Amino acid sequence: MERTVTDALGRTVTYTYPPKRIVSLCPAVTDTLFALGLADETAGRTRFCIHPSPDVLDVPAVAGTKDLKLDRILELQPDLIIAEKEENTKEMVETLEPHVPVYVAEVQSIEDAYRMMIDIGDITGRLPEGRQLAEKAKAGFQALEGTVSGDVLYVIWKKPYMAAGRTTYIQSVLEHLGFTNAAARFLGRYPALEPKDIQDLDPSVVLLASEPYPFKQKHIKEFQEILPHSLILPVDGEMFWYGPRMLEAVHYFSSLLSDMQHE
């Protein structure tokens, strides 16, 4: 049967329901599809869709998050393509929608992440499973609310330094934990920062993400020279992904925050 829904951007999407062949252009969406029991229906993914490992590797990689191979996607004969506003470009959606229905999700906060899991469940015929997944994540995150305090800088890139700023899922997580996001003082969702900017922000904690730039233990000294009195910690960037990773992140954050309080 055909079904018409409205996506997160207010676009009307008409597609075959329930979809039997889905292409996901967002790692967290792919992870969510598997968590909802839709491994067999997931026909294509991006090369950055690495969870759940190793099962996801059986799904053909037919795109990046900013590029795609139209011919390869069409060869899969998908019923539905699921994109995400930040992860994917407007041009990708415009290229695909004349050929295949494209549903666009949007996640900028923890609440958006809960809604995304429910919405993906709804459009794929797995609404009870979507609600259950969201409730599990919500219960875990509620237990962490307001655990810490202080200014934090979450660094995602080097040359130039870039940090997670306003209206990002990462900021939402940091604020939920009790931090104030120092980078929110700058315009832009991922502002570029000079060392002087970082000194002026003077955060009490700096988190060096393992992705997209692979910050490691060896980079602590570099930031300690800029901020000699701040706590500098490498963190697993994947724990700041939304979707099913949120369940794993609850345990990770609990341990991380406990370690910070003993520093």
Side-chain angles (χ1 to χ4, degrees):
M1 60 176 273
E2 279 200 342
R3 185 184 183 200
T4 299
V5 298
T6 302
D7 70 9
L9 304 188
R11 299 165 58 257
T12 299
V13 183
T14 300
Y15 64 105
T16 300
Y17 177 85
K20 296 299 183 186
R21 297 187 62 76
I22 305 166
V23 170
S24 167
L25 299 179
C26 170
V29 170
T30 302
D31 202 7
T32 300
L33 291 172
F34 273 75
L36 299 181
L38 293 162
D40 290 343
E41 286 82 359
T42 305
R45 62 178 173 96
T46 78
R47 58 185 176 273
F48 301 110
C49 296
I50 58 174
H51 293 296
S53 178
D55 296 347
V56 75
L57 300 179
D58 293 332
V59 178
V62 292
T65 53
K66 309 298 182 190
D67 61 275
L68 55 83
K69 298 173 182 176
L70 181 60
D71 290 347
R72 290 196 63 191
I73 290 175
L74 296 181
E75 284 172 5
L76 296 174
Q77 298 182 306
D79 303 315
L80 182 65
I81 294 173
I82 305 177
E84 198 280 329
K85 184 182 177 183
E86 178 180 315
E87 290 285 337
N88 308 126
T89 67
K90 182 181 179 184
E91 290 73 24
M92 290 173 72
V93 174
E94 291 174 343
T95 297
L96 291 164
E97 61 186 351
H99 306 279
V100 184
V102 182
Y103 180 97
V104 182
E106 182 177 22
V107 177
Q108 296 184 350
S109 69
I110 292 174
E111 291 298 324
D112 288 346
Y114 302 148
R115 190 191 70 231
M116 181 276 290
M117 290 183 272
I118 294 169
D119 288 347
I120 297 299
D122 179 38
I123 65 173
T124 59
R126 294 288 200 280
L127 183 55
E129 292 88 343
R131 284 178 173 155
Q132 184 179 39
L133 183 62
E135 285 303 317
K136 281 184 180 178
K138 190 171 187 177
F141 267 70
Q142 283 178 334
L144 295 171
E145 189 170 5
T147 309
V148 289
S149 62
D151 284 359
V152 66
L153 188 68
Y154 186 97
V155 186
I156 64 165
W157 201 254
K158 178 181 165 79
K159 295 184 181 178
Y161 295 127
M162 295 176 71
R166 304 178 184 184
T167 66
T168 59
Y169 172 74
I170 293 170
Q171 167 162 304
S172 181
V173 171
L174 295 173
E175 290 181 341
H176 181 84
L177 296 176
F179 286 116
T180 298
N181 183 14
R185 300 173 204 172
F186 289 85
L187 293 175
R189 302 184 72 221
Y190 297 97
L193 305 174
E194 298 293 332
K196 179 65 166 59
D197 296 324
I198 296 174
Q199 287 177 333
D200 289 344
L201 291 174
D202 193 27
S204 55
V205 179
V206 177
L207 302 179
L208 304 180
S210 62
E211 61 87 36
Y213 185 88
F215 284 109
K216 294 183 173 62
Q217 198 78 20
K218 65 182 181 181
H219 294 104
I220 290 178
K221 183 180 178 182
E222 175 183 333
F223 280 84
Q224 207 75 74
E225 290 175 355
I226 301 171
L227 294 167
H229 304 296
S230 299
L231 175 62
I232 318 292
L233 292 173
V235 292
D236 184 349
E238 292 183 12
M239 294 298 97
F240 289 81
W241 290 11
Y242 49 87
R245 292 307 101 194
M246 295 172 78
L247 304 182
E248 188 178 344
V250 168
H251 305 289
Y252 178 82
F253 290 145
S254 180
S255 176
L256 176 69
L257 298 177
S258 176
D259 291 345
M260 286 175 55
Q261 290 166 349
H262 290 95
E263 286 285 345

